[in-house]
Amino acid sequence: MWTLVLNSGSSSLKFALLNPASGEVRLSGLAERLGTPEATIQLEHGGQQKSRSLGGGSSGGESYEAALGEVLRELETLGMRGAVRAVGHRVVHGGERFSAPVLVTPEVLGAVRACVPLAPLHNPANIVGIEAAQQAFPELPHVAVFDTAFHQTMPEVAYRYAVPQAWYSQHGVRRYGFHGTSHAYVAGRAAEMLQRPLPTLNLITAHLGNGASVCAVAGGRSVDTSMGLTPLEGLIMGSRSGDVDPGLHDYLARQAGLSLSEITAALNKESGLLGLSGLTNDMRELEKAALTGHRGARLALGAFIYRLAKCMAGMAVALGRVDGVVFTGGIGENSRTVRAQTLRRLGVLGLHLDEEANKALPRGDAGVISLPGGPVALVIPTHEELMIARETAVIVGGRGYAL
């Protein structure tokens, strides 16, 4: 069963054609700057890459339709158009309504729209992408896979904020968590690598990229995570602040004359590694600058690692027993420095870094980077597209569609 996986952003469309059983990727690519005259699409097949201009500057669904039209033409060129059996869509926020992937119906789209206030930057783009894909592939079943669904198993003590009850009951103010597809995927891969049944494992998974979050996974179920109502809560990220005092908004409004929207925008786009370093949100560049003595880079790197280790240690409370920790995402998979310095701070959990294994592990590869005698530290490349394809296949197969 070949599955087309789509990840629609506010001005981008990431796509991949995968076989859920084997993991083979037949076609992948990225359309960027959608809605502008500079819109382009990059496609990769069999190691060959090509780039095309989409042009036009069309807005709304038209730009997504243009990108999907190029994908459709490429599938026909490859003779794969008739092999596609389903389309899986990444949807950022499903609120409390969705705890598992679902077949897209008008009712489901309505529920996703109802979650727009919870994810105003993400869900509208997800909806536009789904509707454009339904136009391009009207004969195929479409499945929505939610970032938040994996975390719906958190207990109430973990997801509730200590705020007035009406805020929760009337407005849905609670912790939802994100990166669920990635956390679920690497937890499953960890069980395979350790040759142990997933239901027997207690894991702390760290998805570290421009967006970053940590999750406590007990027996394959999320029991706590660092992100909350929005993806702004938790760790220091590329340009997001992570945890700050909620009183900061009122203070800056009075002291600096900033509006609520200006403060929120700065916390999302001008903070995190970028704000601390005054240099960049790119961890690779920060590590280079830190080696030359750049004070801001050193501060950003140190604060990122400190907050990460502190959060990972806190997740042990949710688990009771830690069998392993997993590093994934662009930073987790590639930064030997972040992994090493984080593990050095986690000796309290019985973790001990294998310096040579950490240095020798090729970038982007999976492997063990801890010494024997305690919890295992693993590096596992995430594969959210494959996880979405697999979950889509389960839903489509269960609904009786021909695979």
Side-chain angles (χ1 to χ4, degrees):
M1 175 181 171
W2 289 94
T3 301
L4 180 63
V5 174
L6 303 177
N7 183 351
S8 303
S10 58
S11 61
S12 66
L13 177 68
K14 187 178 181 182
F15 55 89
L17 179 67
L18 304 97
N19 183 318
S22 67
E24 179 187 355
V25 179
R26 185 64 60 88
L27 173 69
S28 63
L30 175 67
E32 297 181 283
R33 296 184 291 276
L34 297 180
T36 74
E38 294 78 33
T40 60
I41 186 169
Q42 291 84 39
L43 304 105
E44 182 173 348
H45 165 66
Q48 301 295 316
Q49 296 183 347
K50 60 181 77 173
S51 179
R52 298 172 187 162
S53 171
L54 293 174
S58 57
S59 60
E62 294 178 4
S63 55
Y64 291 87
E65 289 172 5
L68 285 165
E70 290 294 327
V71 174
L72 182 56
R73 278 187 282 276
E74 190 69 16
L75 289 173
E76 290 172 344
T77 299
L78 298 174
M80 291 295 294
R81 176 65 179 86
V84 183
R85 292 291 179 265
V87 183
H89 299 267
R90 178 197 179 213
V91 179
V92 168
H93 217 305
E96 290 189 318
R97 170 72 180 273
F98 300 106
S99 58
V102 292
L103 195 69
V104 174
T105 64
E107 181 186 13
V108 165
L109 271 180
V112 173
R113 285 192 180 91
C115 291
V116 165
L118 293 169
L121 300 178
H122 299 91
N123 274 34
N126 298 154
I127 293 167
V128 170
I130 290 172
E131 291 177 333
Q134 288 178 323
Q135 290 290 324
F137 302 93
E139 77 285 5
L140 297 179
H142 293 252
V143 174
V145 180
F146 300 90
D147 270 13
T148 51
F150 181 61
H151 303 298
Q152 283 297 298
T153 53
M154 288 193 296
E156 192 170 17
V157 293
Y159 71 72
R160 285 291 297 275
Y161 290 117
V163 297
Q165 168 69 25
W167 292 10
Y168 169 63
S169 59
Q170 296 177 23
H171 305 294
V173 175
R174 53 156 286 179
R175 303 181 66 248
Y176 291 97
F178 299 88
H179 296 140
T181 303
S182 178
H183 288 297
Y185 175 79
V186 297
R189 282 286 293 121
E192 293 174 3
M193 290 175 64
L194 297 174
Q195 297 183 342
R196 291 181 56 182
L198 183 57
T200 69
L201 288 174
N202 282 0
L203 302 168
I204 298 172
T205 55
H207 177 103
L208 309 176
N210 197 46
S213 66
V214 170
C215 183
V217 184
R221 293 161 58 89
S222 171
V223 293
D224 203 353
T225 190
S226 58
M227 284 181 168
L229 174 73
T230 74
L232 185 58
E233 185 180 347
L235 304 176
I236 292 171
M237 304 175 223
S239 63
R240 297 180 205 155
S241 65
D243 291 340
V244 295
D245 185 336
L248 171 148
H249 290 76
D250 179 67
Y251 176 80
L252 286 175
R254 289 184 287 104
Q255 294 296 116
L258 298 175
S259 68
L260 180 63
S261 60
E262 288 174 328
I263 297 167
T264 301
L267 291 175
N268 275 287
K269 299 179 180 179
E270 302 170 21
S271 302
L273 295 174
L274 174 62
L276 281 171
S277 69
L279 185 65
T280 178
N281 64 339
D282 190 319
M283 181 62 77
R284 295 165 296 186
E285 297 303 314
L286 289 174
E287 289 185 12
K288 293 176 184 177
L291 290 174
T292 67
H294 189 286
R295 185 181 183 281
R298 294 178 67 179
L299 172 61
L301 182 60
F304 179 89
I305 291 165
Y306 172 73
R307 289 271 289 272
L308 171 60
K310 183 179 174 182
C311 182
M312 292 177 76
M315 289 296 165
V317 174
L319 295 172
R321 182 195 78 248
V322 179
D323 298 311
V325 300
V326 179
F327 293 93
T328 192
I331 295 173
E333 295 166 25
N334 297 297
S335 175
R336 299 181 178 96
T337 299
V338 168
R339 297 193 306 251
Q341 294 190 21
T342 300
L343 287 176
R344 290 188 189 114
R345 288 183 172 273
L346 291 176
V348 66
L349 299 182
L351 283 154
H352 300 288
L353 172 69
D354 185 331
E355 300 274 2
E356 294 306 314
N358 185 49
K359 291 177 183 177
L361 184 68
R363 295 182 184 276
D365 276 11
V368 175
I369 58 168
S370 58
L371 295 171
V376 181
L378 300 142
V379 179
I380 301 176
T382 192
H383 200 333
E384 294 173 272
E385 291 83 7
L386 178 57
M387 192 70 179
I388 291 171
R390 288 175 175 172
E391 295 193 323
T392 297
V394 169
I395 295 297
V396 170
R399 290 300 184 101
Y401 287 89
L403 303 185

